[in-house]
């Protein structure tokens, strides 16, 4: 039962059961029952994993941490109030939903979260992603009613429909996040690189800015969604600028200037202030008081928030019929929200020396969204501004989040209805000012230009795609492009020929290291990436190019030479058959063969080892073809992490092609997992065995050196006496004959063939040799003779 064994193995790796030792004992004993492995301690560990507060809360240092958490919680709660109202407006929802989203998810995160400093809750990017959905699926045009001959939007019905839609999106987002967390897919965020996330959030901030301009200028504007909707909105706004409400514009400008000035003071005197000045809260309180006292809505037409109901509402089930329409958007919100949250969480964890569980963070966010969706919340993430305040004001644990949520709870129950006269221009000003940090990310362009051009391209493509195609499609395009850059990087890696640094076992690129020298007769080839279907053909081409010879052309020449040789053989066989027949005359007496009658002529030479042996294939030298300047190729597989069926097929062709030109191929540094994949892919055969694989490049080089030395020693005793060719020079490629001369009357000639040619490959070689010297006997046509290279004597 391998599947049942794999289940507890996976659980033990992720900490769900008792540990690795118990896992190994169970596998060795053949146990395949999951309950047998789990116990009370395993259940306790599982409970602590799902509810991390049970682990740290009993050890909570009250004297050291409580005061800091209380101060931090009040500071963050004060920020939650204006931001919750503002981001609800950004999502196209009633302001009270922002308060709900600042209470329920924040309180739930206390039980499930592992980050001590993350301030979860409404976030601008997530809010604008939700706002694009509400505007496209539930547009205001669907709720226009005629009142006294005037078309008026029924905002109450519209808001109710949008809340129902957004609650469904939030529940579905939570389901996706919990499912990914349970399946240990916390690594999915790694596909969102930092340049991609920063480019996406920067483009999202532009969407946020444009969406709030109508509240700054006080104009009514139609809702647009889909590709190019941002530019349509800007064009529509420009057309309506003459209708700007001056009072709204002045209110927004004054609020933005005041908030910016105080935020700069907070930043400058952060070390001296016990807590940042809550300028946003002060602004909404003062502006609400002025609006109520002066009656800005009636006198100057300044739009206000309106009714904010007090109290909490009972949970409502989501509308499942929306699931099919919003599934893709909900998944995008889930991934983006988690990416931002885990990025900030790891930054704070590294700074303060604790660990954040990425999978548990997925579960924590998912449960916060899932349960919050039943209480009319919209999807949440982590805010950088609130998290920085939580850290800087002395926050030490998730207790600060509980204090912040209690501040919001009091606001919902008692204070919320007092903000019904709050101008929407104030909320728009708060949103725009809080985008300042995101707009600073434009500095990434100069930084990435100096450090990494590919990451710069990812940032730009993400930014442009998100602006042009809207947030959902832009994210999909950005992720696809980011993955394509990875493919291109692996498809076009750096190929190099390695050389050995003298007196060491270190091998480096000969073009980059002056001390690295190529091993004589050996080409060591290395690719900087793994080998798979997308780059294996380029790998083979680069190998042949780096070797310095046209392998394919040489193989083609060899095939043509063999084809020509076979034609000559057939012709000679026909002539030999004719010579076997008696040459009759009128008297019926036989006559001599033509070559004897006419004197010296061509002799038929065949390559055969006798009846029991197979003919060997002629070598490149015997065919008159150029030989490679090297005898061995070593493939450095240390960067290779996996292979697929296509790469296995091409690797087989590499071995075959180099064997055709009499070059040995070895593989060095191949991992065990890759070796297993090769074996499962039927890579090994009688021609390619595991003896061609070595643990390191140095081991392969040493093996080649020993083999060459043994081969040279084995040929020296014989060739010392008879291995002289014409001119008295020893032929370096001379090798022993394949079985001795079969006819002593023939001047034997030894063919210089490689060890591989003598290995018993099938083939036929019949070569034309110079005519026999006068006085020697004619060869018996029935006796097979060995073809030997000219000018060489047989070994005794």
């Amino acid at each position: 039962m391998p599947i049942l064994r794999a289940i507890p193995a996976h659980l033990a790796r992720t900490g769900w059961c008792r540990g690795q030792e118990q896992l190994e004992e169970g596998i060795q004993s053949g146990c395949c029952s999951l309950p047998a492995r789990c116990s009370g301690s395993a259940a306790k560990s599982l409970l602590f994993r799902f509810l991390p507060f049970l682990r740290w809360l009993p050890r909570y240092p009250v004297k050291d941490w409580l005061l800091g958490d209380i101060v931090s919680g009040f500071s963050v709660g004060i920020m939650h109030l204006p931001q919750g109202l503002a981001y609800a407006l950004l999502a196209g929802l009633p302001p009270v939903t922002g308060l709900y989203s600042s209470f329920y998810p924040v309180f739930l995160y206390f039980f499930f979260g592992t980050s001590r400093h993350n301030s979860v809750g409404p976030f601008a990017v997530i809010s604008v992603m939700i706002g694009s959905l509400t505007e496209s699926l539930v547009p205001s045009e669907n709720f226009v009613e005629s009142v006294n001959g005037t078309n008026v939007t029924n905002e109450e019905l519209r808001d109710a429909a949008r809340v129902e839609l957004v609650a469904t999106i939030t529940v579905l987002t939570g389901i996706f996040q919990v499912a990914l967390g349970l399946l240990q897919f916390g690594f999915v965020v790694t596909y969102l690189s930092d340049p991609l996330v920063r480019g996406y959030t920067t483009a999202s901030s532009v969407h946020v800015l444009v969406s709030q301009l109508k509240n700054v200028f006080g104009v009514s504007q139609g809702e647009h969604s889909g590709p190019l909707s941002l530019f349509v909105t800007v064009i529509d706004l420009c057309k309506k600028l003459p209708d700007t409400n001056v009072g709204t514009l002045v209110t927004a400008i004054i609020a933005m200037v005041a908030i910016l000035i105080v935020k700069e003071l907070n930043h400058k005197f952060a070390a001296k202030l016990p807590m940042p000045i809550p300028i946003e809260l002060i602004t909404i309180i003062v502006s609400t008081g002025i609006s109520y006292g002066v009656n800005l809505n009636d006198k100057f037409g300044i739009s206000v928030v309106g009714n904010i109901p007090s109290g909490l509402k009972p949970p409502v089930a989501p509308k499942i019929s929306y699931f099919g329409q919003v599934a893709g958007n909900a998944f995008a919100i889930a991934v983006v929200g988690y990416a931002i949250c885990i990025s900030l969480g790891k930054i704070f964890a590294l700074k303060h020396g604790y660990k954040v569980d990425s999978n548990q963070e997925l579960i924590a966010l998912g449960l916060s969204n899932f349960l919050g969706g039943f209480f009319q919340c919209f999807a949440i993430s982590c805010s950088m501004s609130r998290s920085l305040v939580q850290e800087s004001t002395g926050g030490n644990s998730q207790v600060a989040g509980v204090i912040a949520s209690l501040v919001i709870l009091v606001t919902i129950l008692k204070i919320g209805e007092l903000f019904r006269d709050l101008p929407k221009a104030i909320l728009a000003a708060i949103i725009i000012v809080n985008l300042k940090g995101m707009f600073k990310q434009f500095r990434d362009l100069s930084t990435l230009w100096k450090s990494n051009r590919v990451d710069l391209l990812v940032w730009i493509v993400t930014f442009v795609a998100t602006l042009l195609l809207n947030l959902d499609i832009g994210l999909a395009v950005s992720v696809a492009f980011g993955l394509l850059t990875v493919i291109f990087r692996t498809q076009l890696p750096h190929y190099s020929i390695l050389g050995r640094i003298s007196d060491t076992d270190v091998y480096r690129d000969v073009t980059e290291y002056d001390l690295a020298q190529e091993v004589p007769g050996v080409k060591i080839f290395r690719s900087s990436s793994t080998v798979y279907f997308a780059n294996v053909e380029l790998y083979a081409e680069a190998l042949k190019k780096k070797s310095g010879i046209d392998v394919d052309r040489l193989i083609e020449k060899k095939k043509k030479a063999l084809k020509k040789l076979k034609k000559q053989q057939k012709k000679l066989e026909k002539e030999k058959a004719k010579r076997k027949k008696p040459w009759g005359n009128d008297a019926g007496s036989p006559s001599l063969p033509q070559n004897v009658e006419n004197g010296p002529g061509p002799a038929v030479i065949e390559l055969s080892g006798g009846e029991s042996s197979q003919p060997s294939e002629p070598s490149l030298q015997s065919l008159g073809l150029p030989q490679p300047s090297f005898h061995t190729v070593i493939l450095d597989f240390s960067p290779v992490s996996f292979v697929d069926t296509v790469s296995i097929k091409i690797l087989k062709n590499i071995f075959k092609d180099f064997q055709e030109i009499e070059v040995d191929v070895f593989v060095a540094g191949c991992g065990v997992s890759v070796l297993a994949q090769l074996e499962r892919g039927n890579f090994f055969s009688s021609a390619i065995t595991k003896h061609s694989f070595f643990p390191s490049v140095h081991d392969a080089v040493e093996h080649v050196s020993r083999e060459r030395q043994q081969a040279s020693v084995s040929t020296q005793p014989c060739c010392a006496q008879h291995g002289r060719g014409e001119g008295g020079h020893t032929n370096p490629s001379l090798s022993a004959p394949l079985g001795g001369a079969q006819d002593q009357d023939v001047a034997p000639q030894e063919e210089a063939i490689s060890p591989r040619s003598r290995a018993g490959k099938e083939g036929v070689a019949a070569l034309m040799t110079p005519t026999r010297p006068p006085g020697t006997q004619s060869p018996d046509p029935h006796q097979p003779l060995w073809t030997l290279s000219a000018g060489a004597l047989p070994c005794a």
Side-chain angles (χ1 to χ4, degrees):
M1 301 289 289
I3 296 178
L4 293 178
R5 293 187 185 186
I7 293 174
H10 171 72
L11 294 178
R13 281 196 304 270
T14 55
W16 295 75
C17 281
R18 283 186 287 176
Q20 186 65 25
E21 295 180 359
Q22 187 181 16
L23 169 69
E24 294 175 356
E25 293 174 1
I27 292 177
Q28 291 174 2
S29 63
C31 176
C32 60
S33 176
L34 181 59
R37 297 178 185 277
C38 297
S39 61
S41 61
K44 182 179 179 181
S45 176
L46 184 63
L47 182 63
F48 282 177
R49 179 180 175 84
F50 271 115
L51 297 173
F53 82 100
L54 294 177
R55 188 181 299 274
W56 60 264
L57 189 59
R59 300 192 296 269
Y60 181 81
V62 177
K63 293 183 179 179
D64 298 330
W65 285 9
L66 183 59
L67 181 60
D69 283 339
I70 292 175
V71 174
S72 175
F74 273 108
S75 303
V76 174
I78 291 171
M79 292 184 67
H80 265 296
L81 177 58
Q83 289 187 4
L85 296 172
Y87 293 155
L89 189 68
L90 192 59
L93 299 171
V96 70
T97 58
L99 298 179
Y100 296 154
S101 301
S102 298
F103 168 64
Y104 289 106
V106 176
F107 185 76
L108 291 170
Y109 184 80
F110 166 81
F111 299 99
F112 305 108
T114 60
S115 175
R116 301 177 189 171
H117 297 90
N118 273 2
S119 175
V120 298
F123 182 60
V125 174
I126 303 299
S127 299
V128 77
M129 292 178 73
I130 294 172
S132 65
L133 273 176
T134 58
E135 292 171 359
S136 60
L137 297 180
V138 189
S140 299
E141 290 79 3
N142 295 350
F143 301 92
V144 174
E145 298 177 353
S146 179
V147 178
N148 298 326
T150 305
N151 292 331
V152 180
T153 301
N154 191 328
E155 295 185 358
E156 185 176 352
L157 291 177
R158 182 199 65 185
D159 291 345
R162 288 185 173 182
V163 167
E164 186 179 40
L165 170 67
V166 172
T168 303
I169 296 172
T170 305
V171 170
L172 190 56
T173 299
I175 292 174
F176 281 132
Q177 290 174 331
V178 171
L180 290 175
L182 292 176
L183 293 174
Q184 308 294 300
F185 272 86
F187 68 87
V188 71
V189 73
T190 58
Y191 292 103
L192 301 178
S193 64
D194 187 61
L196 188 149
V197 172
R198 294 176 72 85
Y200 183 78
T201 53
T202 306
S204 300
S205 65
V206 177
H207 280 275
V208 172
L209 174 64
V210 172
S211 69
Q212 293 306 301
L213 291 179
K214 63 181 180 181
N215 293 320
V216 171
F217 290 97
V219 297
S220 60
Q221 191 176 8
E223 297 164 349
H224 307 281
S225 61
L228 301 178
S229 60
L230 179 72
F231 301 95
V232 174
T233 303
V234 172
I235 293 172
D236 186 36
L237 178 68
C238 293
K239 292 179 180 178
K240 294 184 177 181
L241 284 180
D243 301 329
T244 298
N245 187 307
V246 179
T248 301
L249 179 61
V250 171
T251 302
I253 292 175
I254 293 174
M256 282 190 283
V257 171
I259 295 172
L260 277 174
I261 292 175
V262 177
K263 278 184 174 289
E264 286 297 321
L265 293 175
N266 283 338
H267 178 71
K268 186 175 182 180
F269 300 102
K272 298 181 180 180
L273 294 173
M275 61 176 291
I277 300 173
I279 182 59
E280 294 170 335
L281 180 62
I282 294 173
T283 303
I284 64 171
I285 293 175
V286 171
S287 60
T288 301
I290 295 174
S291 176
Y292 177 79
V294 182
N295 198 3
L296 296 179
N297 185 21
D298 293 336
K299 291 185 177 180
F300 301 99
I302 297 176
S303 179
V304 296
V305 168
N307 183 43
I308 299 179
S310 299
L312 300 176
K313 293 187 177 181
V316 178
K319 192 172 182 180
I320 301 178
S321 60
Y322 278 129
F323 276 11
Q325 295 177 270
V326 301
N329 302 89
F331 186 80
I333 293 171
V335 173
V336 173
Y338 170 67
I340 295 169
C341 190
I342 195 64
S343 299
L344 289 175
K346 288 185 176 180
I347 291 173
F348 291 120
L350 182 64
K351 181 178 180 180
H352 294 275
Y354 63 92
K355 292 184 179 180
V356 173
D357 187 340
S358 58
N359 291 306
Q360 181 59 27
E361 282 297 297
L362 257 177
I363 295 174
L365 275 181
L367 290 175
S368 299
N369 281 321
F370 176 76
L371 297 175
F374 289 91
F375 295 93
Q376 300 185 5
C377 299
F378 54 85
I380 54 98
S381 183
C382 180
S383 169
M384 179 178 292
S385 60
R386 293 196 306 267
S387 299
L388 290 174
V389 169
Q390 181 168 323
E391 183 209 21
S392 62
T393 54
N396 297 293
S397 69
Q398 293 90 321
V399 173
V402 174
I403 302 298
S405 65
L406 294 178
V407 172
I408 299 300
L409 177 62
V410 173
T411 303
I412 294 173
L413 295 177
K414 298 295 181 181
I415 307 175
E417 58 184 5
L418 300 178
F419 294 104
R420 64 182 61 188
D421 290 316
L422 173 65
K424 289 183 179 180
I426 300 296
L427 297 179
I430 292 172
I431 292 173
I432 293 173
V433 171
N434 283 326
L435 296 176
K436 178 185 175 183
M438 292 188 182
F439 284 130
K440 286 182 178 179
Q441 293 178 156
F442 278 109
R443 299 174 182 173
D444 294 347
L445 295 174
S446 61
T447 304
L448 293 175
W449 174 264
K450 299 175 183 177
S451 60
N452 193 310
R453 303 290 175 84
V454 176
D455 285 344
L456 173 64
L457 188 61
V458 170
W459 197 102
I460 294 175
V461 169
T462 301
F463 179 80
V464 174
T466 306
L467 286 184
L468 296 178
L469 304 176
N470 219 340
L471 296 170
D472 47 359
I473 302 177
L475 178 63
V477 171
S478 304
V479 173
F481 182 78
L483 293 177
L484 281 177
T485 60
V486 177
I487 295 174
F488 289 146
R489 290 182 185 183
T490 57
Q491 192 174 6
L492 301 173
H494 176 67
Y495 299 110
S496 57
I497 294 293
L498 304 185
R500 181 179 179 181
I501 298 177
S502 59
D503 300 328
T504 69
D505 58 355
V506 178
Y507 295 82
R508 293 291 184 266
D509 189 348
V510 294
T511 61
E512 297 177 355
Y513 292 83
D514 295 334
L515 296 178
Q517 300 295 326
E518 288 191 50
V519 179
V522 179
K523 293 287 184 181
I524 307 171
F525 181 75
R526 187 180 190 273
S527 170
S528 61
S529 72
T530 190
V531 180
Y532 68 112
F533 70 93
N535 67 0
V536 66
E537 292 188 2
L538 298 174
Y539 179 89
E541 292 176 3
L543 170 60
K544 294 174 181 179
K545 183 178 180 181
K546 290 281 186 179
S547 67
I549 59 172
D550 192 340
V551 178
D552 296 329
R553 179 62 176 165
L554 187 56
I555 293 174
E556 184 180 355
K557 288 182 178 180
K558 182 178 179 180
K559 289 180 179 179
K560 289 182 179 180
L562 288 174
K563 186 176 181 181
K564 182 177 180 181
L565 193 61
K566 289 181 180 180
K567 288 182 180 180
Q568 292 177 349
Q569 180 202 9
K570 291 180 180 179
K571 181 178 179 181
L572 294 174
E573 287 177 351
K574 290 180 181 179
E575 293 180 358
K576 185 166 62 174
K578 292 179 181 180
R579 289 196 295 271
K580 289 180 182 180
K581 295 180 181 180
W583 293 84
N585 50 23
D586 293 340
S589 61
S591 61
L592 294 173
Q594 184 177 0
N595 63 322
V596 176
E597 289 180 355
N598 299 332
V604 180
I605 307 296
E606 289 184 311
L607 179 64
S608 175
E611 296 179 358
S612 62
S613 62
Q614 296 179 345
S616 89
E617 184 177 304
S619 65
L620 294 173
Q621 184 178 1
S622 65
L623 293 172
L625 298 176
Q627 292 179 292
S629 59
F630 54 94
H631 51 74
T632 303
V633 167
I634 299 175
L635 304 179
D636 183 3
F637 262 36
S638 54
V640 177
S641 57
F642 70 93
V643 290
D644 53 19
T645 54
V646 178
S647 58
I648 290 175
K649 186 183 298 183
I650 300 298
L651 288 173
K652 280 185 178 181
N653 291 339
I654 290 174
F655 272 78
K656 179 182 176 182
D657 290 346
F658 278 96
Q659 287 171 355
E660 284 285 334
I661 62 171
E662 303 168 8
V663 174
D664 294 314
V665 180
F666 298 105
V667 177
C670 182
V672 176
S673 60
V674 177
L675 197 62
Q677 291 171 1
L678 291 172
E679 191 167 10
R680 289 195 297 268
N682 297 322
F683 175 76
F684 298 104
S685 62
S686 59
I688 307 174
T689 66
K690 291 183 180 179
H691 295 290
S692 300
F693 285 70
F694 294 88
S696 67
V697 172
H698 188 65
D699 291 326
V701 172
E702 290 294 312
H703 171 77
V704 172
S705 300
R706 287 195 301 268
E707 289 294 318
R708 300 300 295 183
Q709 290 175 1
Q710 292 174 3
S712 62
V713 170
S714 64
T715 58
Q716 283 176 2
C718 173
C719 299
Q721 295 178 355
H722 306 290
R724 301 285 180 180
E726 295 181 2
H729 297 287
T730 303
N731 188 348
S733 62
L734 184 63
S735 59
L738 303 178
Q742 299 294 321
D743 192 339
Q744 297 299 328
D745 295 332
V746 179
Q749 300 169 350
E750 180 172 353
E751 178 192 13
I753 55 178
S754 69
R756 181 176 293 102
S757 299
R758 301 196 305 272
K761 288 190 175 181
E762 295 183 0
V764 179
L767 302 178
M768 297 293 293
T769 62
T771 57
R772 300 176 57 80
T776 58
Q777 296 182 358
S778 174
D780 185 353
H782 299 284
Q783 178 64 46
L785 302 178
W786 294 101
T787 303
L788 302 174
S789 62
L793 296 176
C795 295

